[in-house]
Amino acid sequence: MSNTRGAGPAVTLVRNATALATVDGTTFLVDPLFASEGTLPPIDNTPNDRRNPLVPLPDVDLSHDAVIVTHRHPDHFDDAAAERLDADVPLFCQPAEADAFVEDGFTDVRPVEETASFDGVALRRTPGRHGHGELAEQMGPVSGFLLDGDETLYLAGDTVWYDPVAETLAEFDPDAVVLNGGAARFNHGEPITMGVEDVAAVREATDAPVAVVHMEAINHCLLSREELRAETADVLLPEDGERIEF
């Protein structure tokens, strides 16, 4: 890997929430969505009907040591990823979804109840709430992950701003934070991923660098990078294929 042990964490945004997160020289492929542009149907009951993904997969080196899937919604883990990933790759996931990965043919599935470790990096599963009220319940369980080595990287996952996110930031004081933005929404109800106010709340709650992904790739993500950039300060908005070294 390009990072060496002792270097700070780094994240390469691939597309949507798909990212390569490197901590202490170990690289985790997060939420692999490998479908070609326009080959998946639109998310139903949303303000537009464009086919997904909206943009192509960039030409980046996807080499990784392990995989993390925050949850199995189709924009975070798809059939193309199930086909392309090595069957024996160490795959970390929510306990409730472990059986589904085994059924997909993966042979080294590692459900994380609370904590796990890999190659000297500690993994801690963190809470998330995929929306508000009854809709959040319908969206099912979602998680974030803290990757803790010489420094700590917080991948918040598909969540809105709520008390457990604030508590995670306060308790673990991460050195870098990656948020899933886009203000994804359906025709009714509030957004189910972070919008301007959520991102601003995180920015206020931590001194760490904050990067926002999960934008401009799926049809129900309506908040653009340009809009978020105009409404927030001191927030990193990587382009697809861009690497950030914190």
Side-chain angles (χ1 to χ4, degrees), residues 200-218:
V202 173
R203 177 67 286 168
E204 181 71 19
T206 179
D207 293 329
V210 175
V212 184
V213 301
H214 198 280
M215 303 188 76
E216 300 180 1
I218 301 295

Side-chain angles (χ1 to χ4, degrees), residues 169-185:
L169 291 167
E171 179 177 357
F172 297 102
D173 190 22
D175 297 287
V177 179
V178 177
L179 305 176
N180 289 359
R185 67 182 309 150

Side-chain angles (χ1 to χ4, degrees), residues 41-125:
I43 304 293
D44 289 335
N45 189 30
T46 56
N48 69 63
D49 61 357
R50 295 174 63 191
R51 291 184 62 84
N52 292 313
L54 305 180
V55 292
L57 192 69
D59 183 15
V60 297
D61 182 359
L62 295 172
S63 299
H64 54 276
D65 301 298
V67 172
I68 295 172
V69 179
T70 61
H71 64 299
R72 282 179 61 98
H73 286 173
D75 60 328
H76 293 256
F77 182 80
D78 67 342
D79 290 344
E83 293 170 3
R84 285 181 55 180
L85 293 174
D86 291 339
D88 62 351
V89 68
L91 192 155
F92 295 91
C93 64
Q94 304 183 108
E97 296 176 333
D99 288 348
F101 288 109
V102 172
E103 291 171 5
D104 286 335
F106 292 98
T107 60
D108 191 2
V109 179
R110 306 188 189 189
V112 182
E113 189 66 49
E114 294 184 0
T115 61
S117 64
F118 181 78
D119 197 19
V121 178
L123 291 80
R124 178 179 294 273
R125 191 165 64 89

Side-chain angles (χ1 to χ4, degrees), residues 150-184:
D150 287 342
E151 295 186 305
T152 301
L153 174 63
Y154 176 30
L155 308 169
D158 270 11
T159 185
V160 295
W161 171 257
Y162 76 132
D163 285 347
V165 172
E167 292 160 4
T168 298
L169 291 167
E171 179 177 357
F172 297 102
D173 190 22
D175 297 287
V177 179
V178 177
L179 305 176
N180 289 359

Side-chain angles (χ1 to χ4, degrees), residues 23-41:
V23 175
D24 289 3
T26 297
T27 296
F28 299 87
L29 173 64
V30 182
D31 287 352
L33 166 67
F34 286 168
S36 298
E37 180 181 4
T39 57
L40 300 178

